[in-house]
Amino acid sequence: MSIIPGFVLGLAVIPILLGLARAFGLYTCVGECQSQVFTLFGKVIGTIDQAGLHFPISYYGPRAMLIPFFGKKYVVNTALRQHYLRSQMVNSEEGTPMGVGIWYEMQVKDPVAYLFTNANPDGSLQANVTSSTISTLSNLEMEKMLEDRHSLSRTVRAAVSPLSEKWGYRLGSVYIRKVEFTDVQMVENITEKVVKRLVQVTSAMKQDGENRVGLIKSETAFKVSQKMAEASAARPEIVGKKLNEIAKLDPEILDTVQEVMEIDNLLESDAAIDVLPEMGNLLIQLGDRTRL
């Protein structure tokens, strides 16, 4: 029974002891993407930027015990951060007002400079990016502003980097993501021009397609008529050859075929046909006498 109360008492006392040790600066825990800057009597005595459990007394000696009373511990977030500045106003060379959106990422590289060089480093970096973007893009040709954003982004980054490093930052990628027109009338005019151009291109494509189809049809009709002419020219030779073969085998069949062909030609000619009975010769002779 004496073990359980001792265990419960230990669970209650250990957090208190750890809190007192942390309050007196005997140990500190540094998180991921985090730096801790220690000052004593208004001066920076060191920085710990490795994640894990650390004992400041092992870094700074006995004076680390004075930090809770005469110094301060600053916790700085060193994770990569991203910002997007919308609708930064610039004027093109033609005097057209344009809205520019610029995205950038930055990370605290020097925690001491970040803390003590500039009172508002985040705001100053944002203002620096904005001013550099405006100065870089202002009075540029609209075409270059719209099409050459990669090189312009690199120019902005080169302009911002020196001052950002002075403030403890490491500037990552800078990219001009969006260039837009802010004048509604101009947007409507451009939209109308684009629509007209699309209609023209669509009509040209349709006409070109119809021309191609017509060309294919005419070429096909020419080839078909050529083949039909060749077949018609070859037909008499083939028919004659076959008739000769039939005549050699059985002349009676040839005679029958010729009679059938003659009847077919007679029917196709639409000529008048008189059908006479078996005594047709007598009637003809009577007709001849009547005429005399």
Side-chain angles (χ1 to χ4, degrees), residues 5-292:
F7 180 74
V8 174
L9 182 61
L11 291 178
V13 170
I14 288 175
I16 297 174
L17 294 177
L18 291 176
L20 291 174
R22 187 169 57 250
F24 284 97
L26 297 179
Y27 79 93
T28 184
C29 293
V30 180
E32 290 290 341
C33 298
Q34 189 181 86
S35 291
Q36 293 184 359
V37 179
F38 296 90
T39 62
L40 182 63
F41 300 116
K43 294 183 179 180
V44 178
I45 62 173
T47 302
I48 300 176
D49 54 9
Q50 296 294 325
L53 178 64
H54 299 275
F55 299 95
I57 195 170
S58 64
Y59 291 90
Y60 315 120
R63 59 178 179 168
M65 302 293 292
L66 301 177
I67 293 176
F69 306 100
F70 305 102
K72 191 174 180 181
K73 179 180 71 176
Y74 296 90
V75 178
V76 179
N77 182 10
T78 59
L80 186 66
R81 285 176 280 177
Q82 300 174 342
H83 293 276
Y84 182 58
L85 304 178
R86 300 178 183 275
S87 300
Q88 305 301 311
M89 298 303 299
V90 297
N91 289 324
S92 66
E93 187 182 43
E94 297 83 359
T96 304
M98 308 285 289
V100 178
I102 185 166
W103 171 88
Y104 67 95
E105 59 182 11
M106 51 82 174
Q107 186 177 21
V108 175
K109 179 183 178 183
D110 186 351
V112 176
Y114 172 76
L115 289 172
F116 304 110
T117 303
N118 193 318
N120 184 13
D122 288 342
S124 298
L125 179 60
Q126 181 174 333
N128 191 18
V129 172
T130 301
S131 61
S132 298
T133 302
I134 294 174
S135 62
T136 302
L137 271 67
S138 292
N139 298 322
L140 283 180
E141 295 180 0
M142 186 185 302
E143 183 179 357
K144 182 177 180 60
M145 195 181 300
L146 293 173
E147 297 179 357
D148 202 12
R149 286 183 288 173
H150 294 288
S151 62
L152 294 175
S153 299
R154 289 194 293 269
T155 303
V156 173
R157 186 181 186 282
V160 176
S161 290
L163 202 53
S164 64
E165 292 177 358
K166 183 180 179 181
W167 295 334
Y169 286 114
R170 178 173 59 196
L171 196 64
S173 299
V174 177
Y175 185 65
I176 300 172
R177 291 182 58 184
K178 187 176 183 180
V179 179
E180 60 181 353
F181 296 99
T182 57
D183 190 340
V184 177
Q185 184 63 38
M186 178 171 290
V187 173
E188 292 178 354
N189 293 337
I190 293 175
T191 303
E192 184 179 358
K193 290 181 180 178
V194 171
V195 171
K196 288 182 179 178
R197 182 58 180 162
L198 287 175
V199 171
Q200 292 175 354
V201 172
T202 304
S203 299
M205 293 175 64
K206 184 178 179 181
Q207 185 62 42
D208 182 67
E210 292 177 351
N211 293 338
R212 289 177 182 271
V213 171
L215 181 61
I216 293 172
K217 285 184 177 178
S218 61
E219 290 179 353
T220 304
F222 172 74
K223 291 180 180 178
V224 170
S225 61
Q226 188 177 14
K227 294 297 181 182
M228 292 296 292
E230 291 176 358
S232 298
R235 181 175 178 275
E237 181 181 357
I238 296 173
V239 173
K241 185 177 179 180
K242 291 298 179 184
L243 290 177
N244 290 329
E245 292 177 355
I246 293 171
K248 292 178 181 178
L249 295 175
D250 191 345
E252 186 178 356
I253 295 177
L254 177 61
D255 295 338
T256 304
V257 171
Q258 289 178 346
E259 289 179 2
V260 172
M261 293 175 63
E262 185 177 358
I263 293 172
D264 287 340
N265 292 331
L266 185 62
L267 293 174
E268 290 178 357
S269 65
D270 296 331
I273 300 174
D274 296 330
V275 180
L276 299 177
E278 293 180 355
M279 299 301 294
N281 292 332
L282 179 60
L283 294 176
I284 293 172
Q285 292 174 2
L286 291 175
D288 293 339
R289 291 179 180 178
T290 304
R291 290 176 185 175
L292 293 174

